[in-house]
Amino acid sequence: MVILSNARVLIINPNSNAAVTGAMAKAVAGLSGSTGVDFDTRSLDGAPLGIESDLDAAVVAPLLAQMVRDEDDRYDAFIIGCFLDPGLQACRTVTDKPVFGIGECGVFAALTHADQFGVLALSEASVGRHKPIFRRLGVADRLAGELPLSISVADAVGNEAVYPKLGEAARTLRDTHGAGAVVLGCAGMAGHRSRLQRDTGMVVIDPVQAAAARALGALLPT
Amino acid sequence: MVILSNARVLIINPNSNAAVTGAMAKAVAGLSGSTGVDFDTRSLDGAPLGIESDLDAAVVAPLLAQMVRDEDDRYDAFIIGCFLDPGLQACRTVTDKPVFGIGECGVFAALTHADQFGVLALSEASVGRHKPIFRRLGVADRLAGELPLSISVADAVGNEAVYPKLGEAARTLRDTHGAGAVVLGCAGMAGHRSRLQRDTGMVVIDPVQAAAARALGALLPT
Amino acid sequence: MVILSNARVLIINPNSNAAVTGAMAKAVAGLSGSTGVDFDTRSLDGAPLGIESDLDAAVVAPLLAQMVRDEDDRYDAFIIGCFLDPGLQACRTVTDKPVFGIGECGVFAALTHADQFGVLALSEASVGRHKPIFRRLGVADRLAGELPLSISVADAVGNEAVYPKLGEAARTLRDTHGAGAVVLGCAGMAGHRSRLQRDTGMVVIDPVQAAAARALGALLPT
Amino acid sequence: MVILSNARVLIINPNSNAAVTGAMAKAVAGLSGSTGVDFDTRSLDGAPLGIESDLDAAVVAPLLAQMVRDEDDRYDAFIIGCFLDPGLQACRTVTDKPVFGIGECGVFAALTHADQFGVLALSEASVGRHKPIFRRLGVADRLAGELPLSISVADAVGNEAVYPKLGEAARTLRDTHGAGAVVLGCAGMAGHRSRLQRDTGMVVIDPVQAAAARALGALLPT
Amino acid sequence: MVILSNARVLIINPNSNAAVTGAMAKAVAGLSGSTGVDFDTRSLDGAPLGIESDLDAAVVAPLLAQMVRDEDDRYDAFIIGCFLDPGLQACRTVTDKPVFGIGECGVFAALTHADQFGVLALSEASVGRHKPIFRRLGVADRLAGELPLSISVADAVGNEAVYPKLGEAARTLRDTHGAGAVVLGCAGMAGHRSRLQRDTGMVVIDPVQAAAARALGALLPT
Amino acid sequence: MVILSNARVLIINPNSNAAVTGAMAKAVAGLSGSTGVDFDTRSLDGAPLGIESDLDAAVVAPLLAQMVRDEDDRYDAFIIGCFLDPGLQACRTVTDKPVFGIGECGVFAALTHADQFGVLALSEASVGRHKPIFRRLGVADRLAGELPLSISVADAVGNEAVYPKLGEAARTLRDTHGAGAVVLGCAGMAGHRSRLQRDTGMVVIDPVQAAAARALGALLPT
């Protein structure tokens, strides 16, 4: 085992919803510990319960930068746990350690599997917010489609009853839009991943897992 | 440790150069074993000593597909260990397991660190071969620049004396082209990574490590 | 008549289906002979009966390069007769003569007639395979749409009964997608061209004819 | 010989410079006659001696449309013989026959040979005028570079002494910009083509020849 | 009031329809006079009653350039009042004063309000004509959609009864296509703007007003 | 004069530098008052003296949203007076009035004058920060180039001695990069505009003026 001893990654949930933070911790449990890299998760005190608007994203950005600055000595990498990647560039100005956004990591992970990717968004408004982001990333031409689930963050994370909505949207992305892989467009939904992957035969990406795996890669020695 | 017990990933070196294969194995040693995922490396019998032309890439593509088909029962994921990603689409048609190309994985990994990426290519001819690939991937507008090192595969992998060429090219990509991260544009160069990262202050991506970390992410449970 | 005396062009059908090869020969008969340029057609021994997957394309690529190398002395230009342009870059490495892909030539020919082009594909899977190609070529923003005919290669080439499917799809591309010209997305379909052109009032491009005309242009003196 | 008997193509030189018109006629002489297709060339009465500004292009556009309308009964296809493709869309509204622009045809022809193309322009101003055109065509990302020769139309067509300028610019496009094929960015320069091709080892495209070959393809039977 | 005393802007209606010219004058009345900048409007004698084809656009282009040249001494800026921006580049060659196209100005104005814009076109044919323009402008990826109203220029300008068609199309662009702002795709429709804005809750751009405001900005002192 | 009586626009300087705020007020003085639209300017209390990093931009974004919310009843439109457009999307969530960013408005204004635009940035770091913005806006392919002046905000606003740096960079953008219009890449530089325009013969855009003129257009009646 040659990974940096005691390397530590902090995954920050930019909202104050402990259930989302808990779901993130569970999603990356398989990477923590035995690799020599610990993944900690943290909610953002004072943040809204969900990042559901560009205003929410703006409000938490400086708080995230403050937390990264405060924790800079204790961690080797940081992950911003919201699909909108709030404050990502700002956080990078306060540390020399890598800072990853789960939105970017999730989308790029999907593209390592298939030519066209789809996204499951919580709401119609999310779909609109993601368009300029995908254009900025350069991946707009590889987006097969993005469909809104019309569910709340709370439901996405903890309510098994919403699963049929995910299944239906993912199948539409596959059959109508030509998606070859699907990204869960919100943190905390990893609990649906295996089932959705099995039911649709498509690769399903949880963006938190994608970012955690990327962080592990960045911390590899040599 | 909840990662799939006994999960195995096969990294195929599409050339028959054992030194390259050995360098790949060393590059991912930190991920193998304790995570519950074994990374095996394999040279491609009958392949050229280096993939140095589109003809070489075409010649090995069906051989790679054959090896993936032959090993499909024994592995949970495959990695094609050449920056040109030869036979990637073909390999995906013979297995339901994920197949990753180190070129795609390396480039996307760089983009999780910085807005503009640079590439260190072995030769001027490589630079030309990569252009349509970057365009196909959608990342052409994020390429700060790609510079040829004018060195052989053998030198890239095993000759420490070429390091100054890497350093100079990386600094030019940073200072003149505006690159914020650099990808080593050939398999087997991970040995230079830490030093180059330290000397330039830029993130340096070894594409084999990037692909291995991505494979780990794809094999996470839940 | 000042065209290079005895200039010869080899059109290689990358599959082993003689009916397709015959249809190609017929499609370019009007260009052969009196222009001073002979167009020969050849099936690829050992190839599958149709190129129906990325694996098929990978398998025939080195065989195509071998044939081009073997025939290099006897021909002045080569045409790869499959819409996926398998092995095109590889073939270019073994000869100094021009090598044309019918996919590229067909698409660019359509764009000399209209702002937006459509494609008639044999299958839904073909549509997905063409997307990264069009992106690589730079023409993705000019694609009005591509529709699958859900017919076999054999039917496409020799079964007049499939014509209504072509007519319906072409009209949909024209009226719903805004296509101003349509490309037949497979070799050997030139027999439908005139009728489809007449019935729809749109320019219809047979990619083999487009490549042959392009070869003629490349062989012009001065 | 099964090409449409007596098919006729009219190549219109949008300027009134007879030397340019003559050079065009010579360039396509190899295609005329024996193929069953006659290529006629015509100067545009009342046009300037060269199309050297966007104003010149605007002035000749309606005159070109008028000529196409007047000659519609006598020809099966039309070619606008100026690299700016003046009046192309307007001409298409007055005839059901295909109308080709040599600019479009020349660029697309180059792209059937190589991934990156270069252009030899007469002047710096031409280079600026071509940028929005290449963007509209979708080929801006495939342009390796465009270099001005700083010569007049008259010199381009008839003065052998300017050849060294072409050679130097073409070699720069090849060696510094990475161009794999070069387009002569003005009508009437075909006389330099063979020599330049031989000297540089690159494919050189005369756009008039490219358009004529394309017209031949469009007029093929079946 | 420090704006250039007696600055004058000429808005040229490239067609000869006085009703359209009058509607333009009314649309910019609020900017004229008290700002120190006068906006004059002028029909183009000898032009068609509407610019309804690429031929119409070609025909008026040199006439527009002639009028700009004739009026160069009397005006400080010019506006071409047709959404196709006919003759824009040509007009710029005959004056050093700024020349604005209402198509460009209208689209860019919409983009200062929202990420995705929609367009209300008079006809299906207009939609097709605008595609290459948007691609040339670089805004194709920001177009949510463009819908034809299937009405005449006369109706667009003066017939209040067509309003429901505008309302329905705008709502479809908002709800189905995701447009955040809508451009009226023809000159002379400003009379519908306020009502449509109020009814849909979306920003509605009259391109003549957008160009006039832009001209005012260009004429500001410093 | 039919403009909305008493319409008011608030231009917020997102930094706390009163000199910059004063320069903005002066830049738009020509539009204020007689048009019936008042332009107020305001510094942002508690903001840094300059927005010189992505962190600065993140810090002021929520403060800007708060000010817009607080002033929503008193103004008809808002302008964010920093080239990075900090908090633009966030501000739009707290008001139904239009909110303009000077970065977007400045760039689009330049594009109404010329095909290729250039930008004068304060620093090398600014150049890097603008790249993803231009990509998101869709205008990356129209950027001729962006050059750093290596001067401070204070110098840009108030030190006439830096003018030669602007002149030299603008001429380089014109002659070497092919820019046809230049944007001043920071608020408060309008004082250089006329002189630079006169000296270079190129259109020079002050982004604050561009946004103010756009706001005027948005507030026009009918």
Side-chain angles (χ1 to χ4, degrees):
Chain A
M1 187 55 225
V2 288
I3 278 194
L4 291 178
S5 309
N6 305 315
R8 299 178 69 198
V9 178
L10 180 59
I11 306 179
I12 310 176
N13 172 10
N15 66 43
S16 55
N17 188 327
V20 173
T21 315
M24 289 183 184
K26 197 171 163 195
V28 302
L31 289 174
S32 212
S34 66
T35 58
V37 178
D38 281 324
F39 288 87
D40 292 351
T41 48
R42 192 86 60 86
S43 302
L44 189 66
D45 290 341
L49 268 172
I51 308 300
E52 295 178 343
S53 72
D54 284 314
L55 178 62
D56 289 341
V59 165
V60 301
L63 304 178
L64 286 163
Q66 190 55 51
M67 183 178 277
V68 167
R69 179 179 276 152
D70 291 345
E71 302 290 341
D72 192 25
D73 287 348
R74 276 182 293 280
Y75 288 95
D76 301 291
F78 297 90
I79 292 174
I80 309 294
C82 167
F83 197 73
L84 290 174
D85 297 338
L88 181 57
Q89 274 69 34
C91 290
R92 285 176 177 162
T93 68
V94 298
T95 178
D96 288 336
K97 319 286 173 58
V99 185
F100 301 101
I102 64 165
E104 294 191 1
C105 289
V107 166
F108 290 137
L111 294 180
T112 66
H113 289 271
D115 186 65
Q116 299 276 310
F117 75 107
V119 180
L120 298 182
L122 293 194
S123 68
E124 188 65 47
S126 307
V127 175
R129 273 193 293 276
H130 298 163
K131 279 184 184 169
I133 295 176
F134 295 152
R135 216 163 54 232
R136 175 170 53 79
L137 294 181
V139 300
D141 285 345
R142 300 190 66 178
L143 178 67
E146 177 164 6
L147 294 178
L149 299 170
S150 303
I151 62 174
S152 68
V153 173
D155 279 343
V157 174
N159 183 354
E160 190 65 17
V162 303
Y163 178 78
K165 287 196 174 192
L166 277 74
E168 186 187 344
R171 274 186 293 268
T172 302
L173 287 171
R174 182 192 64 195
D175 299 335
T176 307
H177 296 80
V182 160
V183 185
L184 302 170
C186 181
M189 296 171 74
H192 301 292
R193 186 184 163 220
S194 294
R195 185 177 171 192
L196 192 57
Q197 201 157 270
R198 207 167 47 237
D199 286 355
T200 62
M202 264 195 299
V203 167
V204 177
I205 303 288
D206 172 62
V208 179
Q209 292 181 325
R214 176 66 214 120
L216 208 59
L219 295 173
L220 277 177
T222 81
Chain B
M1 186 56 224
V2 288
I3 278 195
L4 292 178
S5 311
N6 304 315
R8 299 179 69 197
V9 178
L10 180 60
I11 304 179
I12 311 175
N13 173 11
N15 67 43
S16 55
N17 187 327
V20 174
T21 315
M24 287 183 188
K26 197 171 162 195
V28 302
L31 288 173
S32 213
S34 67
T35 59
V37 178
D38 281 325
F39 288 86
D40 290 352
T41 48
R42 193 89 60 86
S43 300
L44 189 65
D45 290 342
L49 266 172
I51 308 300
E52 295 178 343
S53 71
D54 284 315
L55 179 61
D56 289 341
V59 164
V60 300
L63 304 178
L64 286 163
Q66 188 57 49
M67 183 178 279
V68 168
R69 179 179 274 152
D70 291 346
E71 302 291 342
D72 192 27
D73 288 348
R74 275 183 293 280
Y75 288 95
D76 301 291
F78 298 88
I79 292 174
I80 309 296
C82 167
F83 197 73
L84 290 174
D85 298 337
L88 181 57
Q89 274 70 36
C91 290
R92 286 176 177 162
T93 68
V94 298
T95 177
D96 289 333
K97 318 284 174 60
V99 185
F100 301 101
I102 66 164
E104 294 191 1
C105 289
V107 167
F108 289 135
L111 293 181
T112 66
H113 289 270
D115 186 66
Q116 298 278 310
F117 75 107
V119 180
L120 298 182
L122 293 193
S123 67
E124 189 64 48
S126 306
V127 174
R129 274 195 291 277
H130 297 165
K131 278 185 185 169
I133 295 177
F134 295 152
R135 217 164 52 233
R136 175 170 53 76
L137 293 182
V139 301
D141 285 345
R142 299 190 66 178
L143 178 68
E146 177 164 6
L147 294 177
L149 300 170
S150 302
I151 62 175
S152 69
V153 173
D155 279 343
V157 174
N159 182 355
E160 191 64 17
V162 302
Y163 177 79
K165 288 196 174 193
L166 278 73
E168 186 188 344
R171 273 186 295 269
T172 302
L173 288 171
R174 182 193 63 192
D175 299 336
T176 306
H177 295 80
V182 160
V183 185
L184 303 171
C186 180
M189 296 172 74
H192 299 292
R193 186 186 163 219
S194 294
R195 185 178 172 191
L196 192 58
Q197 201 156 272
R198 208 167 45 237
D199 286 356
T200 62
M202 266 195 299
V203 167
V204 178
I205 303 287
D206 172 63
V208 179
Q209 291 181 325
R214 177 66 214 121
L216 208 58
L219 295 174
L220 276 177
T222 79
Chain C
M1 185 58 223
V2 289
I3 277 195
L4 291 179
S5 310
N6 303 316
R8 299 179 68 199
V9 178
L10 179 59
I11 305 179
I12 312 175
N13 172 12
N15 67 43
S16 55
N17 188 326
V20 173
T21 315
M24 288 183 188
K26 196 170 163 197
V28 302
L31 289 173
S32 214
S34 66
T35 60
V37 178
D38 281 324
F39 288 86
D40 290 352
T41 49
R42 193 88 60 87
S43 301
L44 189 65
D45 289 342
L49 267 172
I51 308 300
E52 295 178 343
S53 71
D54 283 315
L55 180 61
D56 289 342
V59 164
V60 300
L63 304 178
L64 286 162
Q66 190 54 51
M67 183 178 279
V68 167
R69 178 180 275 151
D70 291 347
E71 303 290 342
D72 192 28
D73 288 347
R74 274 183 294 280
Y75 289 95
D76 302 290
F78 298 88
I79 292 174
I80 309 296
C82 167
F83 197 73
L84 290 174
D85 296 338
L88 181 58
Q89 275 69 36
C91 290
R92 286 175 176 162
T93 68
V94 298
T95 178
D96 289 334
K97 318 284 175 59
V99 185
F100 300 100
I102 64 164
E104 294 191 1
C105 289
V107 166
F108 290 136
L111 293 180
T112 65
H113 289 271
D115 186 65
Q116 298 277 310
F117 75 107
V119 180
L120 298 183
L122 293 194
S123 69
E124 188 65 48
S126 308
V127 175
R129 273 194 292 275
H130 298 163
K131 278 185 185 168
I133 295 176
F134 295 151
R135 217 163 52 234
R136 175 170 54 77
L137 293 182
V139 301
D141 285 344
R142 299 190 66 178
L143 177 68
E146 176 164 6
L147 294 177
L149 299 170
S150 303
I151 61 175
S152 68
V153 172
D155 279 343
V157 174
N159 183 354
E160 190 65 17
V162 302
Y163 178 78
K165 287 196 173 193
L166 277 75
E168 186 187 344
R171 273 185 295 269
T172 302
L173 288 171
R174 181 192 65 193
D175 299 336
T176 306
H177 296 80
V182 160
V183 184
L184 302 171
C186 181
M189 296 172 73
H192 301 291
R193 186 185 163 220
S194 294
R195 185 178 172 192
L196 191 58
Q197 201 157 272
R198 206 167 47 238
D199 287 355
T200 63
M202 266 194 300
V203 167
V204 177
I205 303 287
D206 172 62
V208 179
Q209 291 181 325
R214 176 66 215 122
L216 207 59
L219 295 174
L220 277 177
T222 79
Chain D
M1 187 55 224
V2 288
I3 278 196
L4 292 178
S5 312
N6 304 316
R8 301 177 69 197
V9 178
L10 179 61
I11 305 180
I12 311 174
N13 173 12
N15 66 43
S16 55
N17 188 327
V20 174
T21 314
M24 289 183 187
K26 195 170 163 196
V28 301
L31 289 173
S32 214
S34 68
T35 58
V37 178
D38 281 325
F39 288 86
D40 291 351
T41 48
R42 192 88 58 88
S43 301
L44 189 65
D45 291 341
L49 267 172
I51 307 299
E52 295 178 343
S53 71
D54 283 315
L55 179 61
D56 289 342
V59 164
V60 300
L63 304 177
L64 286 162
Q66 188 56 49
M67 183 179 278
V68 168
R69 178 179 276 152
D70 290 347
E71 302 290 341
D72 192 27
D73 287 349
R74 274 183 293 280
Y75 287 96
D76 301 290
F78 297 89
I79 293 175
I80 309 294
C82 167
F83 197 72
L84 290 174
D85 297 338
L88 181 58
Q89 275 69 35
C91 290
R92 286 176 177 161
T93 68
V94 299
T95 177
D96 288 334
K97 318 284 175 57
V99 184
F100 301 101
I102 66 164
E104 294 191 1
C105 289
V107 167
F108 290 137
L111 293 180
T112 66
H113 289 271
D115 186 64
Q116 298 278 309
F117 74 108
V119 179
L120 298 182
L122 293 194
S123 68
E124 188 64 47
S126 307
V127 175
R129 275 195 290 275
H130 297 163
K131 278 184 185 169
I133 295 176
F134 295 153
R135 216 164 51 236
R136 174 169 55 76
L137 293 182
V139 300
D141 285 345
R142 300 189 66 177
L143 177 69
E146 175 164 8
L147 293 177
L149 299 170
S150 303
I151 61 175
S152 68
V153 173
D155 279 343
V157 174
N159 183 354
E160 190 65 16
V162 302
Y163 178 79
K165 288 197 173 192
L166 277 74
E168 186 188 345
R171 273 186 294 269
T172 302
L173 288 171
R174 180 192 66 194
D175 298 336
T176 306
H177 296 80
V182 160
V183 185
L184 302 171
C186 181
M189 297 172 72
H192 300 291
R193 186 184 162 219
S194 293
R195 185 177 172 193
L196 192 57
Q197 201 157 269
R198 205 166 49 239
D199 287 354
T200 62
M202 265 195 299
V203 167
V204 177
I205 303 287
D206 171 62
V208 179
Q209 291 181 325
R214 176 67 214 119
L216 207 60
L219 295 173
L220 277 176
T222 80
Chain E
M1 187 56 223
V2 290
I3 277 194
L4 292 177
S5 309
N6 303 317
R8 298 178 71 196
V9 178
L10 180 60
I11 305 179
I12 311 175
N13 173 11
N15 66 44
S16 55
N17 188 327
V20 173
T21 314
M24 288 183 186
K26 196 171 162 195
V28 302
L31 288 174
S32 212
S34 66
T35 59
V37 178
D38 281 324
F39 288 87
D40 291 351
T41 48
R42 193 87 59 88
S43 301
L44 190 66
D45 289 342
L49 267 172
I51 308 300
E52 296 179 342
S53 72
D54 283 316
L55 178 61
D56 290 340
V59 164
V60 300
L63 304 178
L64 287 163
Q66 189 56 50
M67 182 179 279
V68 167
R69 179 179 275 152
D70 291 345
E71 303 290 341
D72 193 26
D73 288 347
R74 275 181 294 280
Y75 288 95
D76 302 289
F78 297 89
I79 293 174
I80 308 296
C82 167
F83 197 73
L84 290 173
D85 297 338
L88 182 57
Q89 274 70 35
C91 290
R92 286 176 176 162
T93 69
V94 298
T95 178
D96 289 335
K97 318 285 174 59
V99 185
F100 302 100
I102 65 164
E104 293 191 3
C105 289
V107 167
F108 290 137
L111 293 180
T112 66
H113 289 271
D115 186 65
Q116 298 278 310
F117 75 108
V119 180
L120 298 183
L122 293 194
S123 69
E124 189 63 49
S126 307
V127 175
R129 273 194 292 275
H130 298 164
K131 278 185 185 168
I133 294 176
F134 295 151
R135 217 164 52 234
R136 175 170 53 77
L137 294 182
V139 301
D141 285 345
R142 300 190 66 179
L143 178 68
E146 177 164 6
L147 294 178
L149 298 171
S150 303
I151 61 175
S152 68
V153 172
D155 279 343
V157 174
N159 183 353
E160 191 65 16
V162 302
Y163 178 79
K165 286 197 175 193
L166 277 74
E168 186 187 344
R171 273 186 294 269
T172 302
L173 287 171
R174 180 192 66 193
D175 299 335
T176 306
H177 295 80
V182 160
V183 185
L184 302 171
C186 180
M189 295 172 74
H192 300 292
R193 187 186 162 218
S194 293
R195 185 177 173 191
L196 192 58
Q197 201 157 272
R198 208 167 45 238
D199 286 355
T200 62
M202 266 195 297
V203 168
V204 177
I205 303 287
D206 171 63
V208 178
Q209 291 181 326
R214 176 66 214 121
L216 207 58
L219 294 173
L220 275 178
T222 62
Chain F
M1 187 55 223
V2 290
I3 276 195
L4 291 178
S5 310
N6 304 314
R8 299 178 68 197
V9 178
L10 180 60
I11 304 180
I12 310 175
N13 172 11
N15 66 43
S16 55
N17 188 327
V20 173
T21 315
M24 289 183 186
K26 197 171 161 194
V28 302
L31 288 174
S32 213
S34 65
T35 59
V37 178
D38 282 324
F39 288 87
D40 292 350
T41 49
R42 192 88 60 87
S43 301
L44 189 65
D45 290 340
L49 267 172
I51 307 299
E52 295 179 343
S53 71
D54 284 315
L55 179 61
D56 289 341
V59 164
V60 301
L63 304 178
L64 287 163
Q66 189 56 50
M67 182 178 278
V68 168
R69 179 179 275 153
D70 291 346
E71 303 290 341
D72 193 26
D73 288 348
R74 274 182 293 280
Y75 288 95
D76 301 291
F78 298 89
I79 293 174
I80 309 294
C82 168
F83 197 73
L84 290 174
D85 298 338
L88 182 57
Q89 275 68 35
C91 290
R92 286 175 177 163
T93 68
V94 299
T95 178
D96 289 335
K97 318 285 173 58
V99 185
F100 301 101
I102 66 164
E104 294 191 1
C105 289
V107 167
F108 290 136
L111 294 179
T112 66
H113 289 271
D115 187 64
Q116 299 276 310
F117 74 107
V119 180
L120 299 183
L122 293 194
S123 68
E124 187 65 47
S126 306
V127 175
R129 273 194 292 276
H130 298 164
K131 279 184 184 169
I133 294 176
F134 295 152
R135 217 164 52 234
R136 175 170 54 77
L137 293 182
V139 301
D141 285 345
R142 301 189 66 178
L143 178 68
E146 176 164 6
L147 293 178
L149 300 170
S150 303
I151 62 174
S152 67
V153 172
D155 279 343
V157 174
N159 184 354
E160 190 66 15
V162 302
Y163 178 79
K165 288 197 173 193
L166 277 75
E168 186 188 344
R171 275 186 294 269
T172 303
L173 288 171
R174 181 192 64 193
D175 298 336
T176 307
H177 296 80
V182 160
V183 185
L184 303 171
C186 181
M189 296 172 73
H192 300 292
R193 186 184 163 221
S194 294
R195 185 177 172 192
L196 192 57
Q197 201 157 272
R198 206 168 46 237
D199 287 356
T200 62
M202 264 194 299
V203 168
V204 177
I205 303 288
D206 172 63
V208 178
Q209 291 181 325
R214 177 65 214 122
L216 208 59
L219 294 173
L220 277 177
T222 80

